[in-house]
Amino acid sequence: MSSPSGAEPTAAREAARDKAPETAPGDARETATGGGPAAAWRSLRKPVFVPALLIIVAALAFATWYGAAYGDDAEAAFTALRDRIGETVGWWYVLLVTGFLVFAFWVALSRAGDIRLGRDDERPEFSRFSWFAMLFSAGMGIGLVFWGVAEPLNHMMSPPDIAGVEPGSAEAGRAAIGQALFHWGLHAWGIYVVVGLGLAYMSFRRGRPLSVRWLLEPLLGRRLVESWAGHAIDVFAVVGTVFGVATSLGQGALQIQAGLAHLGWFEPSGTLLLAVVVLITAAGTVSVVSGLDKGVRWLSNANMTLAAVLALLVLLIGPTVFLLRSVVQNTGEYVQAIPQFMFVTGAGATDGWTLGWTLFNQAWFLSWAPFVGMFIARISRGRTIREFVLGVLLAPTLIAIVWFTVFGSTGLLYQLRNGSMVGKGGVIDTDTSLFLLFEQLPVGAGVTVVLAVVAMLVITLFFVTSSDSCSLVVDVLSHGGRAETPRVTRLFWSVVIGVAGALLLLAGGSAALTVLQVSSIASAAPLSVIYALAVVALIRMFRYETAVMPRYVRVGGSRRPPEQGESATTLAVHDLPRHAVTRDAPTGALTCDTAARDPLGDAPEHPASAR
């Protein structure tokens, strides 16, 4: 009996890295730190950079014209546009995102979970704390701060029809946390798992450039991926990323402006919004020029620490015992909400809840996914697939449960006790809800101001981290997957993202939040198709990997462990699919067709087991 050693597939993969396609001209060492605008222009992949930039400019021009054309009716017009897009593709988003979550758990719990994202002997580059801090703050930091108080209040005062609860009631308040967690928990991070896992596997395990197009190589083949089809995939990834992050940055700017106005320091205005975006874009530019290991990691650790301090202060100052009890209850509400809402598309509903909440959030995360996926792929080299999937799924979800409990449950409690969190007619000021919560805490005015300042600092740091991380990722895509890119192009994309966020805010006016929702829902549509195909491609790759993955057993006549000096026979055993084994009826002999073929064509055929 014979079988391949575990080293042979690894050797083939290392050989594949050696012949990985070059995706951009020029010397990487020349373009890594600069070389001037001319050298940066030569290093760019023009079929990706130019169309992506033109689409971004055209979309921003359309949003500006659309807002100006409707004037005072812009909010209603943008809402109608958002709803039309959501009604057309929303069912697809809901189905796809749930499918991603099922796929993620299947990968983690199967033998594919043992595959390492890199060489078999490679170990992670970053500590677990730094890894988690970077992926979490890049993934949805601003969103949790922005919606932590406001979203549960909205769900309590305007619950979905399917929940069957009375608006503003205690029952609606209990269900509201589970509904918010449905949007910010496992389903959201399942999207990031698909993109991040695919990029990390194809790049660190199979030697491909760190670019979205290579997710589809197992289906399309290398020739097509390197042609116009691959360019189109990366263009969609760049555009979706820019508008997805612009949505987040816009929300952060709105909340910073609201905080400054709530403290009485400035009056809300378009000028103030523009100043906030400019200042934080400048900070993001400084960070992105300093690179991943210095600026981005330091800022991620800093804002995670500040966010934890803010949550701890509210927990200790606020209704501590109530919140500790609520952590358990809210977890249960979330577990109930998953099967209740996982296939709800809003068909036949008249309340608009699914369109305004579920579809917007899922589209937002779909458009963010190239950015977040590539970013967490870059910081996850050396981890096993099981560690990657479970870490990316479970750790941020647990943090979301704690965050919505501390901020959301506190806001709901004060509203149910004294009605202090909602205005007349049930109006909720989303931008100021967090700062209004601070005023309800049993502390003096000075502490309230300190909490508000800390909150704005957390928002600012999350804002900067998202901006600089996105600039790095978009620049990598624009260079065809190069890990090191010129500083001048990183700076360029940082400015583009800031300009996009500012123009979307100014174009929307009072409907700014709705404009941000429209941009996310629309840009997610082409990306969603790419992700669906990527799942099929990954399944093919993991079936191949597990087919050539040996499992070792010791063969001997005794069950006792071998004594010192004794030897035991060790065999490498492979699993066989049923269709690979045929039996000759007259003789009873078994024949195994066990050749495992690499979908990428990099490795020679490996017998999956002995004949």
Side-chain angles (χ1 to χ4, degrees), residues 485-563:
T485 59
R487 288 192 180 124
V488 65
T489 52
R490 280 183 266 161
L491 187 149
F492 172 81
W493 282 115
S494 181
V495 173
V496 168
I497 293 163
V499 170
L503 287 179
L504 288 175
L505 290 171
L506 297 178
S510 61
L513 187 57
T514 306
V515 175
L516 298 174
Q517 292 176 333
V518 171
S519 67
S520 289
I521 293 176
S523 61
L527 289 172
S528 65
V529 178
I530 296 172
Y531 304 156
L533 295 174
V535 168
V536 178
L538 286 175
I539 291 174
R540 291 191 64 186
M541 294 307 307
F542 295 154
R543 288 182 63 185
Y544 164 74
E545 283 267 9
T546 54
V548 299
M549 181 189 301
R551 293 193 296 176
Y552 296 97
V553 297
R554 184 175 62 85
V555 179
S558 174
R559 293 188 177 182
R560 66 177 177 79
E563 300 287 345

Side-chain angles (χ1 to χ4, degrees), residues 235-256:
V235 167
F236 289 137
V238 170
V239 173
T241 299
V242 168
F243 284 109
V245 175
T247 299
S248 178
L249 303 188
Q251 289 186 354
L254 287 171
Q255 197 167 34
I256 292 172

